[in-house]
Amino acid sequence: HLTATEIVEQVWRFDQELKAKGERLSNVVLMGMGEPFHNFEAVVEAITRMNRDLGIGARHITVSTVGLVPEIDRFAALGLQVKLAISLHAVTDELRSRIVPINKKWPIAELLDACRSYPGVSNARRITFEYVMLKNVNDSLADARALVKLLAGIPAADQAAVAQVRARDRELTKPPGALGRQPQHLTGEALHPEPHVDHRPAHRPDR
């Protein structure tokens, strides 16, 4: 696992690169480095330091998880006002367990209960559901309709699910914008994970 300093270092370095171009780093998503909640303490410390030392607002930081229910509850209890993203990728436990094996331990119903209890869920900015469409696996119109029903009562998700149903491209090779832009990575242990960040050494900020 990365240490908190190594996580913050990457954010700091990209922030410096953007500042050199007259731009600024406005949002951070913790994903693609393994399941963030498997590295809970370091992730929480890194979020605190990003907010305190780099001036990145908590609501501009998102933690993406495959769905570790106890850690979602534990994270929610901290009251950090950080956004949550869930790597869902399927609407049935049978299929999701194939794509995201942790589903065997915490099935969809338990995961969505945790999402409904997440602080600020009534604020549609707070939870994003990530759904990578795999051709002829989870991309049918029936899947889309089931997703609408599955996410009922979670305001952050309803609009995204409806957008999928309305997708005009029946091949569904790209997810509609409301579900998120074309994903390049699946979080944590999901199919074909790839690094989301550059791990080359760089000058580190003060610890």
Side-chain angles (χ1 to χ4, degrees):
H1 294 309
L2 297 176
T3 66
T5 294
E6 288 171 331
I7 296 171
V8 174
E9 172 192 339
Q10 294 177 29
V11 177
W12 174 85
R13 181 160 60 82
F14 287 122
D15 184 46
Q16 295 300 303
E17 290 180 3
L18 288 172
K19 284 180 178 177
K21 299 176 182 178
E23 303 172 355
R24 67 183 183 89
L25 182 66
S26 58
N27 293 280
V28 174
V29 180
L30 285 90
M31 66 180 296
M33 57 182 188
E35 166 58 49
F37 286 152
H38 279 160
N39 194 20
F40 192 92
E41 287 78 11
V43 163
V44 170
E45 181 184 342
I47 289 170
T48 300
R49 290 170 60 180
M50 282 184 243
N51 181 237
R52 181 192 65 208
D53 301 336
L54 301 182
I56 300 172
R59 293 186 181 183
H60 293 273
I61 300 172
T62 301
V63 176
S64 180
T65 176
V66 291
L68 278 63
V69 170
E71 279 66 34
I72 292 173
D73 293 339
R74 181 183 173 193
F75 189 69
L78 297 177
L80 295 176
Q81 296 189 332
V82 170
K83 293 180 182 178
L84 188 67
I86 303 294
S87 294
L88 190 60
H89 307 313
V91 295
T92 68
D93 284 321
E94 180 182 5
L95 179 56
R96 190 169 190 267
S97 293
R98 289 166 49 200
I99 298 174
V100 187
I102 199 68
N103 189 76
K104 296 174 184 177
K105 190 169 185 179
W106 292 294
I108 292 172
E110 291 185 33
L111 173 58
L112 295 185
D113 282 346
C115 291
R116 291 185 178 96
S117 299
Y118 192 75
V121 69
S122 60
N123 181 338
R125 295 178 301 173
R126 299 299 286 276
I127 294 185
T128 298
F129 286 86
E130 301 160 338
Y131 192 104
V132 173
M133 294 185 183
L134 306 173
K135 189 173 182 180
N136 299 325
V137 175
N138 65 351
D139 63 352
S140 70
L141 189 57
D143 288 317
R145 288 172 172 159
L147 185 61
V148 173
K149 294 181 181 179
L150 186 66
L151 301 181
I154 306 179
D158 290 348
Q159 183 178 2
V162 170
Q164 182 182 355
V165 171
R166 293 174 177 170
R168 294 175 62 187
D169 182 359
R170 291 297 295 116
E171 292 298 319
L172 294 176
T173 56
K174 293 184 179 181
L179 275 175
R181 286 163 290 282
Q182 179 72 19
Q184 297 178 2
H185 313 280
L186 296 183
T187 304
E189 63 171 46
L191 289 175
H192 311 305
E194 298 178 8
H196 184 65
V197 292
D198 187 341
H199 297 290
R200 291 174 298 178
H203 176 69
R204 299 187 177 188
D206 294 336
R207 303 186 184 188

